[in-house]
Amino acid sequence: MTLQVLPRGKWLGARVKRVEDPRFLTGEAKYLADIVLPGTVHVAFVRSPYGHARIKSIDTSAAKTMPGVLAVFTADDVTALPPLASGLPVEGLQPTPQPVLAKDKVRFVGEAIAAVVAESRYLAEDAAEQVVVDYEPLPAVVDAERAMHPDAPILHEELGTNIVYQKTTTLGDIEGAFAQADRVFRRRLHTNRFVAAPMETRGCLSVYERASGHLTFYSSTQMPHMLRLFLALFLGIPEHKVRVISPEVGGGFGQKMTIYPEEVVVAYLGKVLGRPVKWVEDRRENLAAATHAKEQIIELEAAVRNDGTILGLKARLIGDAGAYSFNTASALIEPLAGAGLMPGVYDIQHYQHEVIAVCTNKAPVGAFRAVGWTAAQTARELFFDEIARELGLDPAELRRRNVIPPERFPYTTCTGMVYDSGTYRESLERALELVGYEELRRRQAELRQQGRYLGVGISLYVEPTAWGSEIALQAGFPFPSHDNATVTIDPSGKVRVAVSVHSHGQGHETTLAQVAAEILGVSIEDVVVEHGDTDRAPWGMGTYASRSAVIGGGMVALAAQEVREKVLRAASRLLEVAPEDLDIQDGTVFVKGAPDRSLSMFQVAFAAYLDNRTRAEGEEPLLSATKFYDPRATYSNGCIVTVCEVDIETGLVQLDKVVAVEDCGTMLNPMIVEGQVMGAIAQGIGGALYEEMAYDESGQLMTDTFVNYLLPSATEVPPLTIEHLESPSPVTIGGIKGIGEGGLLATPASVAGAVLDALAPFDARIERLPLTPERIVEALRSSESR
Amino acid sequence: MATVPITLTVNGQAVRAEVEPRVTLADFLRDELGLTGTKLGCEHGVCGACTVLVDGAAVRSCLILAVQAEGADVLTIEGLAGDGLHPVQEAFWEHHGLQCGFCTPGMVLTAYALLQERPSPSEEEIREALAGNLCRCTGYQNIVVAVRAAAEKLAGAR
């Protein structure tokens, strides 16, 4: 492959301050809600207060006469819009089409029933309160296992069951492995349903020009081009007349990958009403109706030798899908992704998994940073801790005995993932060293004598990254993709980089500019990175699944390399030397060994555009190149160790520190890598200790504000130590691996593992997360009574 | 709906307006004055994204009505610095104290208010002061580092 190794000079690999920051710091950055267009009207959605109910009637007459109201739309007014459906081409997944506005029945609290359009959001909400919906409440089911019972209330009657997918896969000789085992262990874990909760909620603005038939659709989305395609198909507008603009996006974490019913409705309203139509989600809507994530019920069974060797593993993963499965918010993404990565960093050849997806009267489940993998990692790592305790082994030692050793790369897992390279054992040893593991164990023993309970939790992980065709297939999702970058030097020598990947906090305007600047030999100040507008950026999938450093970095490198060659060709004709005798540094093209024979980038670019002597017959004059990249699969890895103390009277957990050693191959910008890791760790702390979307038995959502859905604040996140190992990928451009998700993939296991380690003297058993004080105290009580 | 006249100062400028009594200060700043740097993250007073300074104190502008700001001196992110960046903003930039940027105006103003009151806060005091502002991207550590650096920068300037 070309560009196996990228040049590392002034820009690449340096801690470059983010070029995009000033506009955020001054409040100039325009997010969806900040975009003001003349004549805009506003939408408020009427949403179901019931988890499961039949809609007997909807009376919109009073609402329609309210001041400033333009229209009230219900399912009957949007019959032109097809229902949303799962986009995963996986055999055996039952379809559960979701109407964009509920028709006949509602299946979760927050499901949209009507859209009220008025001159202001205040007036729209006033009128929404006057929409009268007559419901016939139905029994609800909010537990996935209960939903599997034949007598459970059924969400989608036409299916006759709530089970939308069920498949068992056996890999290797599972029976043989269990026959050879000294011991067999079992564990069950019900991971919590938690949510991305980006600080900016969802929102969109539809602007339709009747005369030309053009739709401009602003949306807080991670995937502008995919949204453009879907809108064109849903609304029947030719795709070349649809433009999607994703302005500044205040965090996504996967939640803004989904193409939502609200987006389709708002786009349609814009077309029908002929005025700009805007919807900005409020937080209650976001918590109730944007995708939830990560809830699985996982049962594990391991065949183990007395020395701690894991011979075989059986897993049953039940994904609690919520009410519908649509496009990326598919019922399967949690349990299928979890099943694939269950063996993780360990050398396990005999493995059987059963993947089940079940509908419940809860919000649909979608992507959230490390989808499926968080639950699987948490279940397996906590299980391994328990096995170590039962065998009287140190949990670090159990991991050492089972981890894939360095000489085995490239390593193909029994589930078909090809781990290209990594520092699995080294990251474990380094994290233990950094945290002072041996000393901590001594201190733990001392403190126990004093009635204080210190715990250490280890989570050793591998993270599939660079979500292109190959890794998607390896992870079980046959969905081909590719992404594109256009690099252009304008006639005055300045550089434009347009990319299909989308930045909503990741800092692409800096990292991708670093790549272009390094290759083109210019200053980063002379590079601008454009994204998020389908009229300006080339086609691609957008940003999710730790793909943009690898794919974005790779495609920008390829395009910049081609443009560099064009520059050198043009300069070679001006300077009358061979291109290979030229180099570019600091924006100057010069003859190697004779730096005074040089031209500025301005001179070369200007001539390339306007002086025909720079160009041979048939050569393109533009200093521009568009290149695609669809990388080979690459896997990051690392180890996260948490130290905590648990107050056994109150159940309160005090986190002392979290140490993360990560390896994402070649780093474009270590500062940004650290930012990704630290942010994901904080989310993992939330997932382990605080965050849970709770429903009561009737399907009522109990956590619809930030008062009862708790996000970690600055006082809950302890000091974080991040250290880098760098094993460049042998299969990607520049050796880059992704880094977005590892922190959230691995931290819940590390934090929960630390808590359970602290409670080890009590044999406290916990099957549900998060580890709230109530759950800890309850577990301690029931262990006393055993 | 009937409106009420209000007079206040926003970023040093006198403002007179007619507002509906139910309009929040946040919506007034954003929709009437076009100061969209003030963000709305929850509209129920938890996330702190809408933090502005009212008579020098950090306030959640989603929790008070515009009419309650009658006669007040309001500072939003747009008014913190002139052409360049305030030392608090510079420190956030230098220490990568932001990612998506949505919580940033509220964070910066909260930090600014803290440093006005306590020019040399401890790490614990910084974390306490920031605990009412949620950030979903950074894990807070770099924000804490930035606030400490800003304190030093401001001390040096005095």
Side-chain angles (χ1 to χ4, degrees), chain A residues 81-99:
Chain A
L81 299 174
L84 301 175
S86 177
L88 279 185
V90 175
E91 202 186 315
L93 175 62
Q94 297 295 324
T96 54
Q98 178 177 11

Side-chain angles (χ1 to χ4, degrees), chain A residues 568-579:
Chain A
L568 294 180
R569 265 201 305 276
S572 80
R573 288 172 188 136
L574 294 167
L575 291 166
E576 299 179 328
V577 291

Side-chain angles (χ1 to χ4, degrees), chain B residues 115-137:
Chain B
L115 297 178
Q116 293 287 105
E117 199 177 308
R118 240 173 224 285
S120 182
S122 66
E123 171 162 349
E124 203 180 333
E125 286 169 333
I126 295 171
R127 286 189 183 265
E128 282 293 333
L130 297 176
N133 290 64
L134 297 176
C135 169
R136 197 57 162 164
C137 294

Side-chain angles (χ1 to χ4, degrees), chain A residues 377-390:
Chain A
Q377 172 84 6
T378 310
R380 183 234 306 129
E381 291 292 280
L382 295 181
F383 185 39
F384 279 19
D385 286 345
E386 220 168 78
I387 293 170
R389 274 196 286 277
E390 292 287 328

Side-chain angles (χ1 to χ4, degrees), chain A residues 18 31 34 122 691 720, chain B residues 27 39 93 99-100 136 141:
Chain A
R18 299 204 320 173
Y31 299 81
D34 308 332
Y122 281 73
E691 298 181 37
L720 312 174
Chain B
D27 284 345
K39 302 300 175 201
W93 190 13
Q99 289 182 29
C100 83
R136 197 57 162 164
Q141 184 149 307

Side-chain angles (χ1 to χ4, degrees), chain A residues 18 21 25 30-31 33-34 122 126 195-196 199 250-251 283 505 671 675 679 683 691 706 712-714 717 720, chain B residues 22-24 27 30 36-37 39 41 44 77 89 92-93 96 98-102 127 131 136-137 139-142:
Chain A
R18 299 204 320 173
D21 281 2
L25 287 161
K30 296 279 182 262
Y31 299 81
D34 308 332
Y122 281 73
D126 287 345
V195 296
M199 293 317 299
R283 184 56 64 182
M671 181 190 83
Q683 292 178 341
E691 298 181 37
F706 280 160
S713 79
V717 179
L720 312 174
Chain B
R22 66 174 178 171
V23 171
T24 64
D27 284 345
R30 289 176 51 81
T36 54
K39 302 300 175 201
H44 51 259
I77 192 68
Q89 292 166 315
F92 270 66
W93 190 13
H96 191 28
L98 63 150
Q99 289 182 29
C100 83
F102 198 80
R127 286 189 183 265
R136 197 57 162 164
C137 294
Y140 304 104
Q141 184 149 307
N142 282 350

